[in-house]
Amino acid sequence: MTANTRLSNAFAKGRPALVTFITAGDPDSGATPAILDALVEGGADVIELGMPFTDPMADGPAIQAANLRSLAAGTKTADILKIAADFRARHPETPLVLMGYANPMTIRGPQWFATACKEAGVDGVICVDIPPEEDDALGPALRDAGVSLIRLATPTTDAARLPAVLKGVSGFLYYVSVAGITGMQQAAQASIESAVAQLKAATDIPIAVGFGVRTPEQAADIAKVSDGVVVGSALVDLVARHGRDAAGPVRELTAALANAVHSAR
Amino acid sequence: MNDIPNSLRNLPDERGHFGQFGGRYVAETLMPLILDLEKHYRAAKDDPAFREEFDDLLEHYVGRPSPLYFAPRLTEELDGAQVWFKRDELNHTGAHKINNCIGQILLAMRMGKTRIIAETGAGQHGVATATVCARFGLPCVIYMGATDVERQQPNVFRMKLLGAEVIPVESGARTLKDAMNEALRDWVANVHDTFYIIGTAAGPHPYPELVRDFQSVIGKEAREQMLKRTGKLPDMLVAAIGGGSNAIGLFHPFLDDPGVKMLGVEAAGHGLDKQHAASLAGGKPGILHGNKTYLLQDEDGQIAEAHSISAGLDYPGIGPEHSWLKESGRVDYTSVTDDEALDAFQLLCRTEGIIPALEPSHAIAAVKKLAPTMGKDQIILANLCGRGDKDIFTVAQALGVEI
């Protein structure tokens, strides 16, 4: 199965998709495979694997701390790619997306990173701090390697900018529902509905909505109006609390979220 | 070199790039804002009323022009080139930082923003920001690494006196880099009413350009003053570099004067083979805080912790225009250690009766090495970008003196 097929299949099951996020190497790289397996077993449709960075500017306290725990445990880029490749061997059908910041992704050159993603069976990449205006290297390299470049739209993305954001996008569009950092407040349902409607009018690509979504109830509400719901900080909090024993609690929360999202409509 | 354009003063390009450096590497939430900021900055630049208000405040509130001073006893002691100083430490608030804050707060008000945030390391930029916020009656939040809060208590108190809220940042190494991360997080969550006054010529475009433009008053004045006093241009400009705003402010108006050499001085901390803050000497290009520039980092692109005795230089990056000026060969860059800066600090106190900040003490240390190698008819102009009152506790501690 190719990268693009895995992602498009995940959003073509006739029901909203659950997208889950955890940070690679948190609490250490040995613990991550079991947590990833728990996400799949719990029913996640897409998995975002965070690449830790020393300076996670767009993240709230929970994911900041996860980044630092991972780096303190010595997680290297090579470890993350190994985790991804092993995941792909165990789970041939679940799409895996790397999410992180520009510097760790581009330090060896965008071409190197795109090739490494392809070889590890990574389906897509979300780079928080490369907007379309600076995307003349990483985006094309990823596309050439058959890896989706997943863009972000936000409440500040106005109609004039939207075409630039959508240009070259593939996989899905991540709608960041609040102007803010990860894991803080949730957006009002009405504002999510109108934003998704506007995005839907501009693109056929699936829309996943995230930021501040913590409970199955919140996830179900959003799933009523979107193609997917992203949950991150709530899962990362479980890893913070349970450390190497996080797989069980992560599986439970994922199952509850999946159940809510999948049956929302 | 055929990659040098005819003028070295017409960058960045329309996308905010200085060669491969600079740019706008920010989260999508901020992108519409910095595009808007750029639009407003272009309009302000073309508006004589904006320039007039800026100039008026610099003259009557900041105290510009700052003097150009010939240092006779230091010159005699070093026994080489004549040493001159641009006295930006005599500005209101005691450093060059205020020049930029005046410009940015005028821009903020022009854009209708009602809340100001800033990051600070040593606290000089925080004090300057709190000052202009008090002057214009805008609420002000300053992010400062918790480590810096502890070691810069006098400036923390100053900011509070001026009405600012100082938020200690507990993440990372709890220094300037982490304060900037936290300011960016605040900004992204308060985009509707908040203006972020960045303190150095770095960050996403248009910040490196506008901070440089506001700080260029230093070099413009110095160029005029030097011509008036000596009838010629200096042979060598020297300035300390953390993010590099005082240096680019001095250098930029001279970039097209081929006879004027320039030297930027980074902080070598404990030594370039140990912990330091010399991004050009010990780093490589990468992306952080909205721009591509030289950064201290490991092979995976994780940002390293910088170290300098000077909290204002304690940053693992540098403004993108300096990265470009280094690669183009127009400006030379060197570094001096904590110990050399401490010696230079004392040298200036003793020879000229001026207590410099630890930041320009790095420039003075470079002057100390350079002047004896130059002819007595030659002129070195160094930027004395801040006064040392804030540093006396740090210096006393380094010298083993209890106060």
Side-chain angles (χ1 to χ4, degrees), chain A residues 120-163:
Chain A
V122 168
D123 304 282
V125 167
I126 304 173
C127 183
V128 174
D129 51 349
I130 296 192
E133 283 80 353
E134 296 294 347
D135 197 29
D136 46 12
L138 182 63
L142 289 170
R143 280 190 286 274
D144 289 351
V147 177
S148 292
L149 173 76
I150 293 153
R151 285 259 172 79
L152 302 128
T154 73
T156 60
T157 309
D158 54 24
R161 255 188 82 61
L162 192 54

Short mmCIF file of all heavy atoms in Angstrom, two decimals, chain A residues 120-163:
data_model
loop_
_atom_site.label_atom_id
_atom_site.label_comp_id
_atom_site.label_asym_id
_atom_site.label_seq_id
_atom_site.Cartn_x
_atom_site.Cartn_y
_atom_site.Cartn_z
N ALA A 120 11.16 4.91 5.69
CA ALA A 120 10.60 4.45 6.96
C ALA A 120 9.10 4.16 6.85
O ALA A 120 8.47 3.79 7.83
CB ALA A 120 10.85 5.50 8.04
N GLY A 121 8.52 4.38 5.66
CA GLY A 121 7.09 4.12 5.50
C GLY A 121 6.21 5.19 6.11
O GLY A 121 5.07 4.94 6.48
N VAL A 122 6.75 6.40 6.24
CA VAL A 122 5.97 7.52 6.76
C VAL A 122 5.05 8.04 5.65
O VAL A 122 5.48 8.20 4.51
CB VAL A 122 6.92 8.64 7.25
CG1 VAL A 122 6.16 9.94 7.54
CG2 VAL A 122 7.67 8.17 8.49
N ASP A 123 3.79 8.30 6.00
CA ASP A 123 2.82 8.69 4.99
C ASP A 123 2.72 10.19 4.77
O ASP A 123 2.37 10.64 3.69
CB ASP A 123 1.43 8.16 5.39
CG ASP A 123 1.46 6.68 5.58
OD1 ASP A 123 1.44 5.96 4.58
OD2 ASP A 123 1.57 6.23 6.75
N GLY A 124 2.96 10.95 5.83
CA GLY A 124 2.81 12.39 5.70
C GLY A 124 3.67 13.12 6.71
O GLY A 124 4.17 12.52 7.67
N VAL A 125 3.83 14.42 6.48
CA VAL A 125 4.63 15.26 7.36
C VAL A 125 3.87 16.55 7.63
O VAL A 125 3.32 17.16 6.71
CB VAL A 125 6.01 15.57 6.72
CG1 VAL A 125 6.72 16.70 7.47
CG2 VAL A 125 6.87 14.32 6.68
N ILE A 126 3.83 16.92 8.92
CA ILE A 126 3.29 18.23 9.31
C ILE A 126 4.46 19.02 9.90
O ILE A 126 5.03 18.61 10.90
CB ILE A 126 2.18 18.12 10.36
CG1 ILE A 126 1.06 17.20 9.88
CG2 ILE A 126 1.64 19.50 10.72
CD1 ILE A 126 0.00 16.91 10.94
N CYS A 127 4.80 20.11 9.24
CA CYS A 127 5.87 20.95 9.77
C CYS A 127 5.25 22.26 10.26
O CYS A 127 4.70 23.02 9.48
CB CYS A 127 6.93 21.22 8.71
SG CYS A 127 8.30 22.18 9.38
N VAL A 128 5.33 22.47 11.57
CA VAL A 128 4.61 23.57 12.19
C VAL A 128 5.07 24.93 11.68
O VAL A 128 4.26 25.82 11.45
CB VAL A 128 4.80 23.50 13.73
CG1 VAL A 128 4.19 24.72 14.41
CG2 VAL A 128 4.19 22.22 14.28
N ASP A 129 6.38 25.09 11.50
CA ASP A 129 6.89 26.44 11.23
C ASP A 129 7.47 26.62 9.82
O ASP A 129 8.34 27.46 9.62
CB ASP A 129 7.90 26.88 12.31
CG ASP A 129 8.99 25.86 12.56
OD1 ASP A 129 8.88 24.73 12.07
OD2 ASP A 129 9.97 26.20 13.26
N ILE A 130 6.95 25.85 8.87
CA ILE A 130 7.24 26.18 7.47
C ILE A 130 5.91 26.52 6.80
O ILE A 130 5.15 25.63 6.40
CB ILE A 130 7.95 25.04 6.72
CG1 ILE A 130 9.33 24.81 7.35
CG2 ILE A 130 8.10 25.39 5.23
CD1 ILE A 130 10.26 23.92 6.54
N PRO A 131 5.58 27.81 6.70
CA PRO A 131 4.34 28.20 6.03
C PRO A 131 4.53 28.08 4.52
O PRO A 131 5.66 27.89 4.05
CB PRO A 131 4.17 29.67 6.44
CG PRO A 131 5.57 30.16 6.65
CD PRO A 131 6.36 28.98 7.15
N PRO A 132 3.44 28.16 3.74
CA PRO A 132 3.56 28.01 2.29
C PRO A 132 4.63 28.94 1.69
O PRO A 132 5.32 28.57 0.74
CB PRO A 132 2.17 28.41 1.78
CG PRO A 132 1.26 28.26 2.93
CD PRO A 132 2.06 28.39 4.18
N GLU A 133 4.78 30.13 2.29
CA GLU A 133 5.72 31.12 1.76
C GLU A 133 7.17 30.65 1.80
O GLU A 133 8.02 31.16 1.08
CB GLU A 133 5.61 32.44 2.54
CG GLU A 133 4.40 33.29 2.17
CD GLU A 133 3.10 32.83 2.83
OE1 GLU A 133 3.10 31.77 3.48
OE2 GLU A 133 2.08 33.54 2.68
N GLU A 134 7.48 29.71 2.70
CA GLU A 134 8.87 29.23 2.81
C GLU A 134 9.01 27.79 2.35
O GLU A 134 9.99 27.13 2.65
CB GLU A 134 9.34 29.34 4.28
CG GLU A 134 9.40 30.75 4.82
CD GLU A 134 10.46 31.61 4.14
OE1 GLU A 134 11.33 31.07 3.42
OE2 GLU A 134 10.41 32.85 4.33
N ASP A 135 7.99 27.31 1.65
CA ASP A 135 7.97 25.88 1.37
C ASP A 135 8.49 25.54 0.00
O ASP A 135 7.96 24.66 -0.66
CB ASP A 135 6.54 25.35 1.55
CG ASP A 135 6.54 23.84 1.67
OD1 ASP A 135 7.55 23.30 2.15
OD2 ASP A 135 5.54 23.22 1.27
N ASP A 136 9.55 26.19 -0.45
CA ASP A 136 10.04 25.86 -1.79
C ASP A 136 11.03 24.69 -1.79
O ASP A 136 11.48 24.27 -2.83
CB ASP A 136 10.64 27.09 -2.48
CG ASP A 136 11.57 27.86 -1.57
OD1 ASP A 136 11.92 27.32 -0.50
OD2 ASP A 136 11.95 28.98 -1.93
N ALA A 137 11.36 24.16 -0.63
CA ALA A 137 12.31 23.04 -0.60
C ALA A 137 11.70 21.78 0.02
O ALA A 137 11.68 20.72 -0.59
CB ALA A 137 13.58 23.44 0.14
N LEU A 138 11.19 21.90 1.26
CA LEU A 138 10.72 20.69 1.95
C LEU A 138 9.49 20.09 1.26
O LEU A 138 9.44 18.88 1.01
CB LEU A 138 10.41 21.00 3.42
CG LEU A 138 9.95 19.79 4.25
CD1 LEU A 138 11.06 18.73 4.33
CD2 LEU A 138 9.52 20.21 5.65
N GLY A 139 8.51 20.93 0.95
CA GLY A 139 7.28 20.44 0.32
C GLY A 139 7.54 19.67 -0.97
O GLY A 139 7.12 18.52 -1.11
N PRO A 140 8.26 20.30 -1.92
CA PRO A 140 8.55 19.59 -3.17
C PRO A 140 9.34 18.29 -2.96
O PRO A 140 9.06 17.28 -3.61
CB PRO A 140 9.38 20.61 -3.97
CG PRO A 140 8.94 21.94 -3.44
CD PRO A 140 8.63 21.72 -1.99
N ALA A 141 10.27 18.31 -2.03
CA ALA A 141 11.06 17.09 -1.78
C ALA A 141 10.15 15.97 -1.27
O ALA A 141 10.28 14.81 -1.68
CB ALA A 141 12.18 17.38 -0.77
N LEU A 142 9.23 16.32 -0.36
CA LEU A 142 8.31 15.32 0.17
C LEU A 142 7.40 14.79 -0.93
O LEU A 142 7.21 13.58 -1.07
CB LEU A 142 7.47 15.91 1.30
CG LEU A 142 8.21 16.19 2.61
CD1 LEU A 142 7.32 17.01 3.56
CD2 LEU A 142 8.64 14.90 3.30
N ARG A 143 6.86 15.71 -1.72
CA ARG A 143 5.95 15.28 -2.79
C ARG A 143 6.66 14.35 -3.77
O ARG A 143 6.12 13.34 -4.18
CB ARG A 143 5.38 16.50 -3.52
CG ARG A 143 4.23 17.14 -2.76
CD ARG A 143 3.52 18.19 -3.61
NE ARG A 143 4.31 19.40 -3.74
CZ ARG A 143 4.30 20.40 -2.85
NH1 ARG A 143 3.56 20.31 -1.76
NH2 ARG A 143 5.03 21.47 -3.04
N ASP A 144 7.91 14.70 -4.11
CA ASP A 144 8.67 13.85 -5.03
C ASP A 144 8.89 12.46 -4.46
O ASP A 144 9.01 11.48 -5.19
CB ASP A 144 10.03 14.49 -5.34
CG ASP A 144 9.89 15.71 -6.23
OD1 ASP A 144 8.76 15.93 -6.73
OD2 ASP A 144 10.88 16.44 -6.42
N ALA A 145 8.96 12.39 -3.13
CA ALA A 145 9.17 11.09 -2.49
C ALA A 145 7.85 10.37 -2.23
O ALA A 145 7.84 9.29 -1.65
CB ALA A 145 9.94 11.29 -1.18
N GLY A 146 6.73 11.00 -2.63
CA GLY A 146 5.43 10.36 -2.42
C GLY A 146 4.92 10.47 -1.00
O GLY A 146 4.06 9.71 -0.56
N VAL A 147 5.46 11.41 -0.24
CA VAL A 147 5.02 11.63 1.14
C VAL A 147 4.12 12.86 1.16
O VAL A 147 4.48 13.90 0.59
CB VAL A 147 6.24 11.83 2.07
CG1 VAL A 147 5.78 12.11 3.50
CG2 VAL A 147 7.15 10.60 2.03
N SER A 148 2.97 12.76 1.81
CA SER A 148 2.04 13.89 1.82
C SER A 148 2.57 15.04 2.67
O SER A 148 3.12 14.83 3.74
CB SER A 148 0.69 13.46 2.40
OG SER A 148 0.06 12.58 1.52
N LEU A 149 2.36 16.24 2.16
CA LEU A 149 2.64 17.42 2.97
C LEU A 149 1.30 17.90 3.50
O LEU A 149 0.41 18.28 2.74
CB LEU A 149 3.28 18.52 2.12
CG LEU A 149 3.41 19.82 2.88
CD1 LEU A 149 4.56 19.74 3.86
CD2 LEU A 149 3.58 20.98 1.95
N ILE A 150 1.18 17.83 4.82
CA ILE A 150 -0.10 18.20 5.44
C ILE A 150 0.01 19.62 5.96
O ILE A 150 0.88 19.92 6.77
CB ILE A 150 -0.45 17.19 6.55
CG1 ILE A 150 -0.72 15.84 5.88
CG2 ILE A 150 -1.65 17.66 7.35
CD1 ILE A 150 -0.46 14.66 6.74
N ARG A 151 -0.86 20.47 5.46
CA ARG A 151 -0.80 21.88 5.85
C ARG A 151 -1.77 22.18 6.97
O ARG A 151 -2.72 21.44 7.21
CB ARG A 151 -1.14 22.77 4.64
CG ARG A 151 -0.02 22.85 3.63
CD ARG A 151 0.75 24.15 3.80
NE ARG A 151 1.95 24.18 2.96
CZ ARG A 151 1.94 24.44 1.67
NH1 ARG A 151 0.80 24.67 1.05
NH2 ARG A 151 3.07 24.46 0.99
N LEU A 152 -1.52 23.31 7.61
CA LEU A 152 -2.38 23.76 8.69
C LEU A 152 -3.15 25.00 8.26
O LEU A 152 -2.58 25.89 7.63
CB LEU A 152 -1.54 24.09 9.93
CG LEU A 152 -0.69 22.92 10.43
CD1 LEU A 152 0.75 23.35 10.58
CD2 LEU A 152 -1.23 22.38 11.72
N ALA A 153 -4.43 25.02 8.59
CA ALA A 153 -5.21 26.26 8.46
C ALA A 153 -5.65 26.64 9.86
O ALA A 153 -5.80 25.77 10.73
CB ALA A 153 -6.43 26.03 7.56
N THR A 154 -5.81 27.93 10.11
CA THR A 154 -6.10 28.40 11.46
C THR A 154 -7.23 29.44 11.41
O THR A 154 -7.61 29.88 10.32
CB THR A 154 -4.86 29.08 12.09
OG1 THR A 154 -4.67 30.36 11.45
CG2 THR A 154 -3.61 28.24 11.89
N PRO A 155 -7.71 29.86 12.58
CA PRO A 155 -8.74 30.92 12.56
C PRO A 155 -8.26 32.22 11.94
O PRO A 155 -9.07 33.05 11.55
CB PRO A 155 -9.06 31.12 14.06
CG PRO A 155 -8.69 29.83 14.70
CD PRO A 155 -7.50 29.34 13.94
N THR A 156 -6.94 32.42 11.84
CA THR A 156 -6.45 33.65 11.24
C THR A 156 -6.21 33.51 9.73
O THR A 156 -5.85 34.48 9.06
CB THR A 156 -5.14 34.12 11.90
OG1 THR A 156 -4.15 33.11 11.75
CG2 THR A 156 -5.33 34.43 13.37
N THR A 157 -6.35 32.29 9.21
CA THR A 157 -6.18 32.10 7.77
C THR A 157 -7.41 32.67 7.06
O THR A 157 -8.47 32.06 7.08
CB THR A 157 -6.05 30.60 7.43
OG1 THR A 157 -5.05 30.02 8.27
CG2 THR A 157 -5.68 30.40 5.98
N ASP A 158 -7.26 33.83 6.45
CA ASP A 158 -8.43 34.43 5.83
C ASP A 158 -8.61 33.93 4.39
O ASP A 158 -7.78 33.18 3.86
CB ASP A 158 -8.36 35.97 5.88
CG ASP A 158 -7.07 36.49 5.28
OD1 ASP A 158 -6.47 35.79 4.44
OD2 ASP A 158 -6.65 37.60 5.66
N ALA A 159 -9.71 34.35 3.79
CA ALA A 159 -10.05 33.86 2.46
C ALA A 159 -8.95 34.17 1.45
O ALA A 159 -8.68 33.39 0.53
CB ALA A 159 -11.38 34.47 2.02
N ALA A 160 -8.29 35.31 1.64
CA ALA A 160 -7.25 35.71 0.69
C ALA A 160 -6.04 34.76 0.74
O ALA A 160 -5.38 34.53 -0.26
CB ALA A 160 -6.79 37.14 0.99
N ARG A 161 -5.76 34.24 1.94
CA ARG A 161 -4.60 33.37 2.11
C ARG A 161 -4.88 31.91 1.81
O ARG A 161 -3.95 31.13 1.54
CB ARG A 161 -4.15 33.45 3.58
CG ARG A 161 -2.94 34.25 3.82
CD ARG A 161 -2.50 34.10 5.26
NE ARG A 161 -1.71 32.88 5.46
CZ ARG A 161 -0.57 32.63 4.87
NH1 ARG A 161 -0.07 33.47 4.02
NH2 ARG A 161 0.10 31.52 5.11
N LEU A 162 -6.13 31.53 1.92
CA LEU A 162 -6.48 30.11 1.86
C LEU A 162 -5.94 29.41 0.60
O LEU A 162 -5.39 28.30 0.70
CB LEU A 162 -8.00 29.93 2.00
CG LEU A 162 -8.48 28.50 2.24
CD1 LEU A 162 -7.79 27.88 3.45
CD2 LEU A 162 -9.99 28.48 2.42
N PRO A 163 -6.05 30.02 -0.58
CA PRO A 163 -5.51 29.34 -1.76
C PRO A 163 -4.02 29.02 -1.63
O PRO A 163 -3.57 27.95 -2.06
CB PRO A 163 -5.76 30.35 -2.89
CG PRO A 163 -6.90 31.19 -2.41
CD PRO A 163 -6.74 31.28 -0.93
#
